[in-house]
Amino acid sequence: MRRITIWLLSTVTALVLLFSYRTSTMGVGGGSSAVAVDRGGTTPGSGDPSTEPPTGDSGGSYDGSVAQTRWGPVQVRITVAGGRITDVTALQVPDGNFRDQQINDYAVPVLRQAALTAQSARIDTVSGATVTSDGYRESLQAAIDAAHLR
C-alpha cells in the first residue's frame, strides 16, 4: 500500500511540473514588448496623401502602419529617392524574450535586403520568422502605399 501511495504522489507531482513548464514561445509574463525607435518629430514626406504627389518621385521617409502580430508589433519606415526605395528601417519588432531577439536579429536584415531588391512588399518569408515576416510585409506595403509607389 505504501508503494502505491508513493507512486501516485510522484506521478501527480510530475504531471503538475510538466503542465506548469513555460516554454520560450509563451512570452514573458503573458505580455509582449517591442523595440521602439524615437522618431524625434515628423519626418519630411510622412505619407500624408494630401501633400504627396501621386508619382512618389519627391522622396522622403514614410512610416508603415503598425502590424499587430502574435508576438508583438512590427513597423517599418522606408526612405524613397527618385521613385525607388533606398532604405528600409525596422521601427518596431517583437523582443519579448531572448528567442524573439535571436530570431529578429537574423530575420530583419534578410527582410530588409529582400525589400530593397524587390522594390515591393512581395518578399519571401524568412524560415523560422513567419510571424515577423508577415508583419514586416504588412507594414512595408502600408509604407509603399503612403509613398504612392507602384
Side-chain angles (χ1 to χ4, degrees):
M1 183 68 160
R2 189 167 184 240
R3 274 188 180 169
I4 292 174
T5 304
I6 292 173
W7 175 82
L8 183 61
L9 288 175
S10 63
T11 302
V12 168
T13 302
L15 287 173
V16 167
L17 290 173
L18 180 66
F19 287 118
S20 65
Y21 180 72
R22 296 187 59 80
T23 65
S24 63
T25 60
M26 290 182 175
V28 177
S32 63
S33 64
V35 174
V37 175
D38 181 21
R39 296 183 197 168
T42 314
T43 58
S46 61
D48 182 4
S50 63
T51 61
E52 296 297 322
T55 60
D57 288 344
S58 66
S61 296
Y62 302 87
D63 292 354
S65 60
V66 177
Q68 293 297 335
T69 69
R70 184 165 93 181
W71 303 121
V74 177
Q75 184 179 24
V76 299
R77 171 183 291 154
I78 63 171
T79 303
V80 177
R84 293 188 51 82
I85 300 170
T86 58
D87 193 23
V88 182
T89 307
L91 300 177
Q92 296 183 62
V93 292
D95 75 337
N97 58 50
F98 181 69
R99 184 68 179 139
D100 288 345
Q101 293 169 9
Q102 283 182 316
I103 290 169
N104 292 320
D105 285 347
Y106 169 74
V108 170
V110 172
L111 292 166
R112 177 187 177 276
Q113 187 58 49
L116 291 173
T117 301
Q119 290 292 303
S120 74
R122 288 185 218 105
I123 56 177
D124 290 335
T125 298
V126 175
S127 180
T130 304
V131 173
T132 298
S133 297
D134 291 344
Y136 195 95
R137 273 194 302 271
E138 181 182 328
S139 184
L140 178 60
Q141 185 61 55
I144 290 170
D145 292 344
H148 303 290
L149 297 175
R150 295 174 200 236

